[in-house]
């Protein structure tokens, strides 16, 4: 019993020390990781068009620069998740930062097309670890207002996209794409410099039976926050009160203690076990649907929001535009995500994760619906920016929900696989938004995006767990699904 051993759990400790300087340090470092990923992803909007005339590339060759990056992220998302669950969160994003910074810098010196493809694929492998920063930060945040702080964390992605657009605006016209590639790797290099200053996740340490190390991290955190830890020593969440409520018992699952490293090794079979398979498949589709819709709306924005058109209304055929217009367009569309983040931060801990996602997805669906037929330029821009605002906010909530619903010993692997599946959506959406949307035929691609958004909304309804206000679990045996 907890009282008999005079101990406290990790969640009790985090609630006691509250959110302070300790968590701000973790937020800043994990946010730096997301800024690095966002910048490396957004530069794809600028580098391809610049390289195409210089190296005489075909349209398919230009698109391959983005495709190989997504392919690398697919591999990196899974492998980094397994590494982080097996060897620790810090080792996971350390390896990713090394790969991203080294190959990112080398990309700036690529002598030919093939070498650039190889290097950008390797950069993608490193970027695939971005989801581990989400899990790592989540494991330091007290359950109170956890959703709001995770939305604050999500703002770093938007910050990275705005920074990259600004950087490209200032560098590309004068200095070219090579300097942009080199400078875009700077956040990953900075993360390497400060790597030793950040702690390992105490929740991960608990799953490995390293209670003394976990408690020392909490002691340091309490000192930084100028708070006091509860009386006693840190104990595993596997030691629970027999008087816990039935609802908590059902939601937190059976608490079989895994005492060896081998026993704690994550497995896909655990994700597809009878009691987890429903949650897992629904989360996979949500990642696919949100990634597909998010990047698809970005592409539709560039296809439909041009000033000059060959159609009577907005066109799907975009003429070549001047460089400043391209930078301004990306800059403004990146800012369009901020209101969605604000709305998500306001409602997430009030109505819960599931209802928040349902609101965001339905709003995105409603704003895209008028674009089944041609609208004038102003209305097209308003509808697309609004759709991106809500779909990006939905994506942020999904990225918060998934780490919350899985236990610590499986969290990074589970989110890694879901992220990898989402990258498939990122690889497919250009075929819909650009390929099928050429020649002023916007109806079919918009309908396909609408169908995906509706199916995503249905998936949220079917999710068995609401994670609002729930403590994170560490080890999991066979969770009991709550219908």
């Amino acid at each position: 019993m907890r009282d008999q051993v005079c101990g406290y759990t990790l969640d009790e400790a985090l609630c006691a020390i509250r959110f302070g300087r300790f968590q701000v340090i973790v937020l800043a470092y994990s946010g730096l990781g997301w800024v690095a990923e966002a910048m490396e992803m957004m530069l794809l909007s600028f580098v391809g068009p610049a390289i195409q005339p210089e190296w005489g590339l075909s349209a398919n060759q230009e698109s391959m620069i983005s495709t190989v990056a997504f392919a690398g992220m697919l591999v990196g998302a899974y492998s980094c998740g397994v590494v982080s669950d097996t060897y620790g969160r810090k080792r996971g994003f350390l390896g990713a930062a090394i790969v991203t910074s080294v190959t990112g810098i080398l990309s700036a010196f690529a002598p030919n097309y093939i070498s650039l493809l190889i290097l950008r694929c390797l950069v993608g492998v490193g970027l695939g670890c971005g989801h581990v920063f989400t899990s790592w930060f989540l494991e330091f945040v007290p359950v109170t207002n956890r959703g709001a702080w995770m939305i604050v964390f999500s703002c770093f992605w938007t910050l990275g996209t705005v920074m990259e657009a600004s950087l490209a605006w200032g560098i590309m016209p004068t200095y070219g794409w090579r300097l942009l590639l080199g400078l875009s790797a700077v956040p990953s290099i900075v993360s390497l410099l400060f790597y030793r200053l950040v702690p390992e996740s105490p929740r991960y340490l608990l799953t490995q039976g390293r209670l003394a190390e976990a408690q020392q991290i909490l002691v340091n955190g309490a000192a930084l926050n100028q708070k006091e830890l509860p009386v006693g020593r840190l104990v595993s969440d596997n030691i629970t009160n027999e008087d816990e409520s039935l609802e908590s018992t059902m939601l937190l699952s059976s608490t079989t203690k895994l005492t060896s490293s081998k026993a704690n090794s994550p497995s896909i079979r655990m994700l597809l076990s009878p009691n987890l398979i429903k949650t897992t498949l629904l989360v996979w589709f949500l990642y696919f649907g949100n990634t597909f819709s998010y990047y698809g709306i970005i592409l539709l924005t560039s296809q439909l929001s041009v000033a000059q058109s060959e159609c009577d209304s907005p066109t799907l055929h975009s003429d070549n535009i001047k460089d400043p217009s391209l930078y301004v367009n990306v800059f403004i569309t990146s800012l369009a995500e901020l209101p969605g983040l604000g709305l998500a931060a306001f409602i997430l801990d009030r109505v819960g994760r599931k209802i928040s996602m349902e609101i965001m997805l339905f709003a995105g669906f409603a704003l895209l619906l008028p674009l089944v037929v041609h609208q004038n330029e102003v209305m097209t821009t308003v509808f697309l920016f609004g759709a991106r605002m809500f779909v990006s906010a939905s994506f942020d909530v999904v990225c918060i929900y998934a780490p919350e619903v899985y236990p610590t010993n499986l969290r990074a692997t589970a989110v890694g696989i879901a992220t990898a599946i989402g990258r498939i959506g990122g690889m497919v959406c250009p075929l819909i938004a650009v390929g099928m949307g050429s020649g002023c035929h916007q109806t079919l691609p918009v309908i396909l995006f609408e169908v995906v958004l509706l199916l995503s909304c249905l998936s949220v309804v079917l999710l068995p767990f609401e994670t609002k206000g729930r403590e994170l679990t560490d080890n999991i045996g066979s969770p009991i699904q709550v219908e």
Side-chain angles (χ1 to χ4, degrees), residues 40-184:
E40 292 285 0
M41 288 301 297
M42 288 304 297
L43 69 79
L44 298 174
S45 302
F46 310 109
V47 171
I51 293 176
Q52 184 182 27
E54 181 177 334
W55 286 355
L57 304 179
S58 66
N60 288 336
Q61 287 176 317
E62 178 190 350
S63 65
M64 280 297 295
I65 299 174
S66 298
T67 300
V68 296
F70 276 107
M73 293 180 75
L74 192 153
V75 174
Y78 172 71
S79 57
C80 193
V82 173
V83 169
S84 298
D85 277 336
T86 306
Y87 301 105
R89 309 301 191 233
K90 287 187 66 175
R91 288 191 181 182
F93 51 68
L94 171 63
I98 292 173
V99 172
T100 303
S101 57
V102 171
T103 55
I105 291 293
L106 291 177
S107 296
F109 301 95
N112 52 54
Y113 174 70
I114 297 300
S115 62
L116 181 65
L117 286 183
I118 295 172
L119 289 168
R120 295 316 297 178
C121 182
L122 292 174
V123 169
V125 173
L127 295 178
C129 198
H131 66 89
V132 177
F133 287 103
T134 307
S135 299
W136 181 65
F137 174 64
L138 177 74
E139 292 168 355
F140 285 91
V141 181
V143 64
T144 306
N145 296 325
R146 185 171 63 207
W149 280 112
M150 292 304 295
I151 290 294
V152 172
F153 168 75
S154 299
C155 291
F156 283 93
W157 176 273
T158 301
L159 175 62
T161 61
V162 172
M163 287 176 59
E164 186 65 23
S166 303
L167 191 64
W169 196 348
I171 289 176
M172 287 282 286
T174 304
Y175 301 103
W177 60 271
R178 292 185 184 274
L179 183 59
L180 180 65
L181 283 175
L183 292 179
S184 298

Side-chain angles (χ1 to χ4, degrees), residues 159-234:
L159 175 62
T161 61
V162 172
M163 287 176 59
E164 186 65 23
S166 303
L167 191 64
W169 196 348
I171 289 176
M172 287 282 286
T174 304
Y175 301 103
W177 60 271
R178 292 185 184 274
L179 183 59
L180 180 65
L181 283 175
L183 292 179
S184 298
V186 169
S188 295
I189 297 174
V190 174
S191 69
L192 287 176
L193 297 178
F194 290 96
Y195 167 76
R196 292 188 176 276
L197 300 181
V198 295
E200 178 58 270
S201 164
R203 198 172 293 276
Y204 163 78
L205 294 173
L206 280 178
T207 66
Q208 304 300 303
R210 296 155 62 178
L211 271 68
E213 295 176 57
Q215 178 158 354
Q216 186 57 50
I217 290 173
L218 292 174
V219 169
N220 296 338
L224 277 173
N225 290 358
Q226 298 181 339
K227 301 292 182 181
E228 295 291 334
L229 286 170
V231 177
R233 297 184 62 82
L234 178 67

Side-chain angles (χ1 to χ4, degrees), residues 25-26 32 65 135 166 177 179 181 237 263 338 352 356 383 393 448:
I25 293 173
V26 178
L32 180 63
I65 299 174
S135 299
S166 303
W177 60 271
L179 183 59
L181 283 175
D237 281 338
L338 292 176
S356 295
F383 288 135
L448 288 175

